[in-house]
């Protein structure tokens, strides 16, 4: 009887295990365009399209524009319907539209942040929100100083109900902070960074070694967390490493990238996972020790804005709007699973009702464990996901379609594979360049060998009668 009882006992324990796990939302890159007007002429639909004509704008948005208010309202409504009482919400920044600085200004930037803050507070009135600033949440955009600023002060006021007494002065001084997670059953801590200080488009901090003293503060915070037997989630907007859709394009200045990487290597045992945005795409980054062992993982969530990037050299750089739920173990903070929900923007616009109050359906796009056949979202599992993407065309194509939230369904060929795999695998600048060079050379050799083999077959095959 014993062998029969064991599976039964395990089945009985499954609901208990599910009940003991926690869940939280990660939402990023809302990029509200207050001047979006679907009924306008093709050239006047939205300022965020720039000089691009927008021939097919719908009520829920356009791939050439940032998000209209209706899209953002539908996103938070979908969040509430899918998971009304999360343990907390991660909101990793970028609220304003992609327009020139002269079309914004401090007051307009703060007005947009205030409106989106109110939207999230109204949706989750009793939920802790950990909010990070994105590079567009400032004026002029990207130019974040490593010292007190009135935009930091005003944002701290807007987020006062989410910040504790210790976090508020830290936020005013540099827009970063750390707090214990709200659940009494966890020893977890959230570290919210202002990585806009390290952005290579930020001229304010270009000559500094440690803008705002954030690196030193981060090291001290992680050291103290280790002593207190806490595990940590690190949250921010601009990630280190490279953009997977444009070869050789980093976000951090080189010295800042190296320093961040060294901190993760030194303190990786206390960092359970990292959650960032900025790309608008769905991807992840692996971190390794100097000997090549995987030590940490960073999850990059897709954006809500569908805006097609204007970065030169990026093909099909739009996305369907996405939002994400993370299942986690409150005791260890290990990621157990992730479910990404999305709005098929084309379909939503085609089926748009004339009734203002009706909202489109946000569908489940994929569940991490099912899509990539891994037991959880742990470091080991994500290393397995990377290996499968790298070696198996089926998993590569599946990952590639998820990367744009099912917007770009074209085939990910060899150059595409190299761009994505090297960006995921190598956050370090030098190792990334080596990865691209080595992988591209190997691909070229294979291509030459295949061509030679085909030519040889042609020569050896019997001549067909004319």
């Amino acid at each position: 009887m014993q062998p029969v009882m064991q599976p039964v006992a395990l089945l009985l324990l499954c609901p208990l295990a599910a009940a003991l796990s926690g869940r939280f939302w990660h939402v990023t890159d809302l990029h509200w365009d207050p001047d979006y007007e679907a009924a306008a002429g093709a050239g006047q639909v939205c300022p965020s399209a720039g000089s691009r004509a927008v021939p097919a704008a719908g009520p829920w948005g356009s791939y050439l524009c940032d998000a209209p208010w209706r899209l953002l309202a539908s996103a938070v409504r979908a969040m509430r319907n899918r998971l009304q009482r999360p343990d907390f919400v991660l909101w990793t920044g970028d609220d304003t539209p992609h327009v020139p600085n002269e079309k914004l200004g401090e007051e307009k930037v703060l007005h947009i942040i205030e409106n989106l803050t109110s939207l999230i507070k109204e949706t989750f009135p009793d939920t802790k929100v950990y909010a990070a600033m994105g590079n567009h949440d400032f004026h002029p955009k990207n130019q974040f100083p490593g010292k007190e600023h009135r935009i930091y002060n005003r944002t701290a006021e807007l987020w006062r109900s989410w910040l504790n007494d210790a976090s508020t002065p830290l936020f005013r001084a540099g827009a970063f902070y750390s707090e214990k997670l709200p659940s009494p059953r966890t020893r977890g801590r959230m570290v919210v960074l202002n990585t806009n200080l390290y952005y290579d488009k930020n001229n304010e901090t270009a000559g500094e070694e440690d803008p705002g003293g954030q690196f030193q503060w981060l090291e001290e915070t992680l050291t103290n967390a280790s002593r207190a037997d806490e595990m940590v989630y690190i949250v921010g907007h601009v990630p280190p490493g490279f953009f997977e859709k444009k070869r050789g394009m980093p976000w951090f200045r080189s010295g800042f990238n190296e320093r961040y990487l060294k901190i993760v290597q030194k303190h990786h045992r206390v960092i359970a996972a990292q959650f960032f945005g900025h790309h608008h795409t769905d991807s992840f980054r692996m971190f390794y020790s100097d000997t090549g062992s995987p030590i940490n993982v960073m999850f990059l969530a897709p954006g809500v804005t569908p805006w097609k990037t204007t970065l030169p050299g990026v093909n099909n750089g739009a996305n369907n709007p996405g939002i994400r739920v993370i299942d986690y173990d409150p005791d260890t903070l290990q990621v157990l699973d992730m479910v990404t929900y999305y709005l098929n923007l084309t379909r939503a616009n085609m089926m748009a009702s004339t009734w203002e109050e009706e909202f489109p359906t946000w569908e489940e796009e994929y569940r991490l464990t099912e899509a990539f056949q891994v037991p959880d979202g742990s470091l080991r599992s994500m290393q397995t996901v990377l290996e499968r993407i790298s070696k198996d065309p089926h998993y590569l194509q599946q990952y590639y379609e998820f990367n744009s939230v099912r917007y770009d369904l074209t085939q990910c060929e060899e150059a595409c594979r190299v761009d994505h795999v090297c960006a995921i695998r190598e956050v370090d600048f030098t190792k990334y360049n080596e990865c691209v060079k080595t992988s591209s050379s190997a691909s070229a050799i294979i291509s030459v060998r295949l061509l030679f083999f085909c030519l040889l077959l042609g020569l050896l095959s019997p001549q067909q009668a004319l």
Side-chain angles (χ1 to χ4, degrees):
M1 290 294 291
Q2 188 67 20
V4 177
M5 290 297 293
Q6 282 178 340
V8 173
L10 285 170
L11 282 171
L12 290 171
L13 285 171
C14 281
L16 179 63
L20 290 175
S21 67
R23 304 176 78 196
F24 64 89
W25 279 107
H26 184 188
V27 61
T28 193
D29 293 272
L30 304 182
H31 286 289
W32 175 33
D33 189 338
D35 298 312
Y36 182 95
E37 180 53 67
Q44 295 88 38
V45 172
C46 62
S48 50
S51 60
R52 300 177 294 187
V54 185
W60 302 109
S62 162
Y63 293 113
L64 294 175
C65 299
D66 276 317
W69 186 259
R70 289 186 74 187
L71 173 59
L72 301 180
S74 77
V76 297
R77 183 177 184 272
M79 290 169 71
R80 185 179 60 217
N81 290 345
R82 292 285 185 176
L83 179 61
Q84 187 173 4
R85 298 192 180 279
D87 291 354
F88 52 88
V89 174
L90 302 184
W91 176 25
T92 51
D94 262 14
D95 305 333
T96 68
H98 294 84
V99 296
N101 284 318
E102 54 267 25
K103 290 196 173 183
L104 287 168
E106 273 192 27
E107 286 306 315
K108 191 162 186 179
V109 167
L110 288 162
H111 170 75
I112 289 171
I113 295 173
E114 180 178 13
N115 276 269
L116 296 182
T117 298
S118 297
L119 182 66
I120 292 172
K121 281 182 178 178
E122 288 163 9
T123 308
F124 298 104
D126 304 314
T127 301
K128 178 75 171 182
V129 176
Y130 297 99
M133 298 189 80
N135 59 293
H136 280 264
D137 303 331
F138 204 82
H139 183 80
K141 70 182 83 170
N142 310 321
Q143 307 308 315
F144 287 71
K147 58 187 178 184
E148 189 168 345
H149 190 279
R150 53 190 171 274
I151 291 181
Y152 295 166
N153 290 334
R154 293 273 297 277
T155 304
E157 287 299 316
L158 293 172
W159 295 350
R160 178 179 284 277
S161 62
W162 297 335
L163 298 169
N164 67 24
D165 290 342
S167 297
T168 302
L170 266 174
F171 193 95
R172 289 178 184 275
F176 53 86
Y177 60 99
S178 172
E179 296 188 14
K180 292 193 71 172
L181 290 176
S183 172
R185 58 195 177 104
T186 181
R187 297 192 312 275
R189 173 170 292 277
M190 192 70 68
V191 173
V192 180
L193 298 179
N194 178 7
T195 52
N196 307 294
L197 298 175
Y198 312 138
Y199 196 20
D200 63 5
K201 290 183 173 60
N202 185 350
N203 299 320
E204 288 287 315
T205 60
E208 300 180 31
E209 285 189 17
D210 186 7
Q214 184 174 227
F215 280 133
Q216 182 181 342
W217 171 86
L218 176 58
E219 292 230 48
E220 291 169 357
T221 302
L222 295 174
T223 298
N224 292 336
S226 180
R227 288 171 182 162
D229 198 25
E230 295 174 337
M231 291 300 290
V232 168
Y233 283 150
I234 295 181
V235 174
H237 180 71
V238 180
F242 289 78
F243 187 29
E244 71 276 4
K245 291 184 77 72
K246 182 171 172 61
R247 184 172 293 187
M249 181 170 185
W251 303 117
F252 283 18
R253 292 187 186 275
S254 177
F256 295 150
N257 196 84
E258 185 180 353
R259 180 102 182 251
Y260 186 90
L261 187 54
K262 286 187 184 305
I263 290 174
V264 173
Q265 288 174 329
K266 181 179 176 182
H267 297 277
H268 68 89
R269 287 178 184 85
V270 80
I271 305 169
Q274 305 173 63
F275 301 94
F276 282 68
H278 186 60
H279 286 203
H280 303 189
T281 57
D282 180 350
S283 193
F284 64 101
R285 297 292 180 266
M286 298 298 298
F287 291 74
Y288 300 91
S289 68
D290 288 334
T291 57
S293 301
I295 56 170
N296 216 254
V297 61
M298 174 184 285
F299 296 98
L300 304 177
V304 174
T305 182
W307 182 79
K308 188 173 188 177
T309 181
T310 54
L311 280 174
V314 178
N315 295 319
N316 287 338
N319 56 280
N320 279 307
I323 52 179
R324 172 171 288 167
V325 170
I326 293 97
D327 295 351
Y328 74 107
D329 182 333
D331 190 44
T332 63
L333 295 199
Q334 178 174 300
V335 174
L336 301 175
D337 211 346
M338 294 193 312
V339 183
T340 304
Y341 300 95
Y342 81 114
L343 183 69
N344 184 321
L345 190 59
T346 302
R347 187 186 305 145
N349 283 330
M350 284 176 62
M351 299 178 69
S353 167
T354 54
W355 294 95
E356 290 287 325
E357 62 270 26
E358 288 191 11
F359 287 93
T361 302
W362 288 65
E363 309 164 60
E364 180 177 317
E365 184 194 16
Y366 75 99
R367 179 178 288 273
L368 174 70
T369 53
E370 291 176 3
F372 292 100
Q373 294 296 294
V374 288
D376 49 41
S378 66
L379 175 63
R380 180 178 292 182
S381 291
M382 296 314 295
Q383 179 63 28
T384 299
V385 173
L386 171 56
E387 289 167 1
R388 287 180 176 160
I389 291 170
S390 179
K391 297 171 184 176
D392 188 322
H394 162 73
Y395 284 112
L396 171 66
Q397 186 60 30
Q398 180 179 250
Y399 155 81
Y400 183 71
E401 293 181 8
F402 293 158
N403 180 252
S404 64
V405 200
R406 298 188 187 273
Y407 168 79
D408 181 1
L409 305 181
T410 59
Q411 196 70 22
C412 183
E413 304 289 358
E414 182 57 23
C416 163
R417 185 192 73 85
V418 170
D419 288 345
H420 284 264
V421 168
C422 288
I424 295 170
R425 181 178 287 149
E426 304 296 356
V427 176
D428 177 81
F429 281 21
T430 303
K431 290 180 179 177
Y432 169 85
N433 289 327
E434 289 171 357
C435 178
V436 170
K437 186 177 179 181
T438 303
S439 301
S440 301
S441 299
S443 302
I445 290 168
I446 291 168
S447 299
V448 169
R449 285 177 177 171
L450 279 171
L451 179 62
F452 180 75
F453 181 69
C454 292
L455 288 170
L456 191 63
L457 276 179
L459 290 170
L460 292 176
S461 61
Q463 296 280 331
Q464 289 190 359
L466 295 175

